[in-house]
Amino acid sequence: ELDDWFDKNHATFESHDRTAQGTALLRGFDLVKKLDRLKADGMAAIEGVLAQNESTSSDERVTSLLRGFEFAARLADILYDELLDTDGAHAVRRSLDAVVQALDKVGRGRAVLDALFESPDARVRGTAAAYLIDLVPERAVSLLGEVEESEHANSAHFNAHWALLAWKRERKSRFNYLSENHAQR
């Protein structure tokens, strides 16, 4: 809808028709409100996954957290790539960190993220690999290399690149950085 709005109103904004420009801007404000609502709903869904009580079985909790991880990985990259919403993307990335930390406390721990290596979505595969590179380096490095090669100038590409760089320089995964920051508090 946003792309369509830009396409339809490009000429309007170049014109001197203030009434048409005002009408177009009002429609744009409505779209921004809708996007903000969608982002808030997405964040609430992730928070809902994290807030699940401990009465759920370990398997149910893991399944829910994995779905939350997939959703958050896609949402973060969409916010950044499509909407240029860096603050929103960073907030979702912090929620992703919380999902991984919650996963690390149940079942097989964060190792279950390896199931996401088969995702058709490069954003999900690459994000999972960034958190697991220290546990399964051969698979994660290969996968991150594939994502870096196949994606161009988007979040999936850059995230894969930075995860590989951190691994080459410091032998650390995203999870290692989280653990260090948590220990320092």
Side-chain angles (χ1 to χ4, degrees):
E1 285 181 63
L2 191 58
D3 288 342
D4 187 45
W5 177 82
F6 278 123
D7 292 342
K8 287 182 178 175
N9 291 295
H10 182 73
T12 301
F13 291 126
E14 290 181 352
S15 76
H16 295 289
D17 184 347
R18 299 293 180 222
T19 303
Q21 289 173 347
T23 301
L25 283 174
L26 288 175
R27 174 71 178 120
F29 291 144
D30 288 341
L31 285 173
V32 169
K33 287 179 189 176
K34 186 176 180 181
L35 291 170
D36 284 343
R37 230 179 0 263
L38 288 170
K39 179 174 65 173
D41 290 349
M43 289 296 295
I46 297 165
E47 292 302 319
V49 166
L50 288 167
Q52 283 180 333
N53 64 26
E54 303 303 321
S55 66
T56 59
S57 74
S58 177
D59 288 345
E60 290 173 325
R61 179 102 171 110
V62 167
T63 299
S64 178
L65 287 166
L66 281 174
R67 282 196 316 260
F69 183 93
E70 287 179 279
F71 176 75
R74 289 190 311 265
L75 180 59
D77 287 358
I78 288 168
L79 288 172
Y80 193 85
D81 293 340
E82 303 295 327
L83 303 175
L84 304 176
D85 183 353
T86 55
D87 292 338
H90 290 302
V92 174
R93 292 249 173 242
R94 285 189 299 277
S95 293
L96 256 174
D97 292 343
V99 168
V100 173
Q101 289 172 322
L103 268 173
D104 201 51
K105 296 175 184 167
V106 294
R108 291 181 35 221
R110 68 186 162 104
V112 298
L113 289 171
D114 68 351
L116 301 179
F117 286 1
E118 303 304 319
S119 172
D121 193 317
R123 299 168 294 198
V124 173
R125 288 191 313 272
T127 304
Y131 284 97
L132 292 181
I133 198 168
D134 60 315
L135 294 180
V136 288
E138 299 81 23
R139 286 184 66 205
V141 166
S142 173
L143 191 145
L144 287 164
E146 290 171 16
V147 170
E148 186 180 30
E149 278 293 311
S150 67
E151 299 294 315
H152 302 287
N154 63 16
S155 292
H157 169 89
F158 290 114
N159 291 337
H161 175 78
W162 288 110
L164 287 169
L165 188 62
W167 180 248
K168 288 174 187 170
R169 288 188 175 177
E170 301 180 43
R171 292 298 207 223
K172 291 184 179 179
S173 70
R174 174 73 183 142
F175 185 78
N176 299 136
Y177 290 110
L178 290 175
S179 299
E180 289 173 3
N181 288 341
H182 189 68
Q184 291 174 0
R185 291 181 191 171

